[in-house]
Amino acid sequence: MSSTLLPSPALRRAVPADAVAFSTAIPAPRSATDARHPLRHRKVAIVGASLGGLCLARLLQREGVEVEVHEARGATDPAWYRRSLCIDREPAIKALRAAELGPLFDRCCERERTHTRLVDAQGRRQRDRALPARASARWRIEYGLLRDLLLNSLQPGSVLWGRRFTSLTNAPDGSQRLNFANGARGQADLVIGADGACSLLRPYATASGLRYSGLTLIEAQVPLPELRVPRIALWLDHDRLAVRDADAALIAQRNSLRGMDLRIALRVPRDWSLRGVDWADSAQARGALKQQLAHWDPKFLRLIDAAEPRFVARPLLTSAPDRSWNERGAMTLLGAAARMAPCLLSDPKNGELQDAWELAQALTSTRHRDSIAAALAHYERALLQRAAVEGRGAQRVLAALLPQPGALGATRSWRSMARTLGAFAGRWLPR
């Protein structure tokens, strides 16, 4: 199937009319014969049509590199169109700028500045150094819409759908051979794994597997929050709400569909989400969540009542930080396939786009000449260092959002302490 075909409009928000013809209007890529970089006259295979994989394919094609993207799912899988994406890292923005999505991307994304309003389960304001309350700039765009823009920017036939990767072998000429579940085979000089957390290419690079972080994440959306939860919608506006408790945390923020994204992290056993709850049934999902959060203020439970049409529950996985990867052929990883950290506030797709940007820079740099190995070593060294820093940052955010029960009493906000002191003097601060 050609990469220029768009999924059914029933599955997504409408794409601008000129998006379909965008692939015919992109600037001509540089000739591979003129480019002095490691991928000259070589072919790249990307496993996984994630945002990072598509962005990398676009960046490489801009340099005249032959690229194929192999994706296990179909082009119209509804899983592509579930949520909004918040882009708040400068390297991720640079990646999209370098992809030259141009005015279409500018028209489809919203720029805003957001604060994080931190409260406890009873609605009392809190403060924590790990969760700065100052405003941060971000871009907000629908995930499926950005994916469609990237797809339409690729050359026709770049994405091969329905190809589930099974194994990778080294060919006698030094290239890599890919085998797929449908019997298809592929060959490339460089293979890049962008197939997500449960990557089938990850074992070729490292023996460290994924482990359960102790948290299960439930995601849902609140349509028309001004009608369903007017007080919270008015209070938040463009800000982000973070409710913290000892064993649960709730994150609510606006999305690009004029609704509200709802994320609830619960400290529960790994199999909790499988214990007789049909998460596609909204009534069962609401009942299970409200039972876990029965001691919370009713205004937060109304957010759960307003969420529809379906809930998605998944365990949050994490990977141990690697100092280096195994010796292997011309193969590397990016995004969640390379490292996993339980992110609640920042979107992990930011790191995925940053990986695509840095890998494209390394592979198309004249500094490494014809050496793919040198380019990969440069990219992976920076990637693994950044993964360790991101992992420590994610753990600090988790400790702030889900503090131990004994720490909750010690982290009272200045306003709650002022109320206590004012009570002795007969003066009360307004709530």
Side-chain angles (χ1 to χ4, degrees):
M1 180 179 295
S2 171
S3 64
T4 60
L5 294 180
L6 290 176
S8 168
L11 295 175
R12 58 179 173 82
R13 183 176 142 190
V15 176
D18 50 352
V20 178
F22 179 56
S23 59
T24 62
I26 58 176
R30 287 171 48 185
S31 172
T33 59
D34 298 334
R36 297 287 299 180
H37 54 66
L39 296 182
R40 186 179 54 167
H41 304 307
R42 289 170 173 170
K43 181 179 178 181
V44 176
I46 300 175
V47 178
S50 61
L51 287 185
L54 294 176
C55 185
L56 177 61
R58 168 64 175 162
L59 294 174
L60 294 181
Q61 285 186 355
R62 291 289 305 127
E63 297 296 327
V65 180
E66 182 183 358
V67 182
E68 278 187 352
V69 181
H70 304 271
E71 172 56 42
R73 288 180 286 184
T76 58
D77 192 322
W80 299 117
Y81 307 94
R82 282 181 179 166
R83 62 185 182 87
S84 292
L85 172 66
C86 293
I87 306 172
D88 54 11
R89 287 192 195 176
E90 186 61 30
I93 296 173
K94 285 183 179 179
L96 295 175
R97 286 298 191 194
E100 295 188 6
L101 300 181
L104 289 179
F105 174 75
D106 294 336
R107 284 165 46 193
C108 295
C109 71
E110 301 176 7
R111 293 167 177 80
E112 61 184 27
R113 301 188 70 85
T114 181
H115 292 72
T116 298
R117 295 177 179 265
L118 180 65
V119 299
D120 64 10
Q122 304 306 316
R124 295 184 291 262
R125 293 289 297 271
Q126 303 277 295
R127 299 184 71 183
D128 197 294
R129 292 183 179 179
L131 303 173
R134 69 176 185 271
S136 60
R138 66 177 185 175
W139 292 1
R140 188 174 62 189
I141 186 172
E142 187 185 347
Y143 182 100
L145 188 55
L146 178 57
R147 171 184 169 271
D148 287 343
L149 291 174
L150 287 169
L151 273 176
N152 284 288
S153 71
L154 299 180
Q155 297 173 5
S158 298
V159 182
L160 304 175
W161 305 100
R163 288 201 170 189
R164 185 178 183 276
F165 172 83
T166 56
S167 63
L168 181 70
T169 57
N170 293 323
D173 61 355
S175 62
Q176 306 292 312
R177 290 179 179 172
L178 301 93
N179 302 307
F180 301 95
N182 61 358
R185 295 184 178 181
Q187 190 163 350
D189 298 290
L190 172 63
V191 177
I192 300 169
D195 49 344
C198 300
S199 172
L200 297 175
L201 277 164
R202 181 179 171 82
Y204 291 90
T206 175
S208 63
L210 300 177
R211 64 178 186 271
Y212 181 50
S213 65
L215 300 176
T216 292
L217 184 66
I218 297 93
E219 296 178 292
Q221 292 186 348
V222 179
L224 303 174
E226 287 82 6
L227 299 179
R228 296 171 180 263
V229 283
R231 293 183 62 185
I232 292 182
L234 181 63
W235 182 49
L236 282 184
D237 193 22
H238 292 292
D239 293 346
R240 175 170 51 197
L241 172 66
V243 185
R244 70 174 182 178
D245 198 9
D247 295 315
L250 180 147
I251 311 296
Q253 62 186 21
R254 295 281 188 164
N255 59 32
S256 58
L257 300 176
R258 307 301 177 188
M260 188 178 292
D261 287 333
L262 194 63
R263 310 177 78 198
I264 302 172
L266 300 176
R267 187 177 279 130
V268 291
R270 181 169 185 171
D271 62 343
W272 174 83
S273 61
L274 305 176
R275 295 177 183 176
V277 179
D278 181 7
W279 293 99
D281 185 339
S282 300
Q284 289 191 37
R286 292 190 189 100
L289 289 174
K290 293 173 73 173
Q291 183 178 0
Q292 290 287 325
L293 308 176
H295 62 289
W296 280 31
D297 190 284
K299 62 174 171 286
F300 300 133
L301 301 183
R302 282 195 287 273
L303 277 171
I304 299 174
D305 289 330
E308 62 176 35
R310 63 192 300 267
F311 292 76
V312 178
R314 57 183 176 89
L316 279 180
L317 304 178
T318 184
S319 59
D322 294 313
R323 294 182 178 271
S324 62
W325 283 345
N326 304 332
E327 291 292 333
R328 61 201 181 284
M331 190 275 293
T332 191
L333 306 171
L334 66 81
R339 78 274 193 245
M340 278 291 291
C343 300
L344 291 183
L345 291 183
S346 63
D347 198 306
K349 295 300 178 183
N350 283 276
E352 189 173 302
L353 292 171
Q354 181 175 354
D355 293 349
W357 161 256
E358 294 185 354
L359 180 55
Q361 290 290 303
L363 291 174
T364 58
S365 172
T366 57
R367 170 184 177 185
H368 303 296
R369 292 289 179 174
D370 294 332
S371 176
I372 293 180
L376 294 183
H378 175 81
Y379 159 73
E380 291 170 2
R381 182 166 54 251
L383 169 69
L384 296 179
Q385 291 175 355
R386 181 158 44 86
V389 174
E390 290 176 355
R392 291 192 293 269
Q395 291 300 327
R396 286 194 295 269
V397 171
L398 286 182
L401 286 177
L402 288 95
Q404 297 299 323
L408 281 176
T411 57
R412 301 175 64 189
S413 67
W414 65 270
R415 183 174 290 269
S416 63
M417 291 189 290
R419 288 198 189 99
T420 303
L421 294 175
F424 289 101
R427 298 186 303 272
W428 292 90
L429 293 178
R431 293 183 178 272

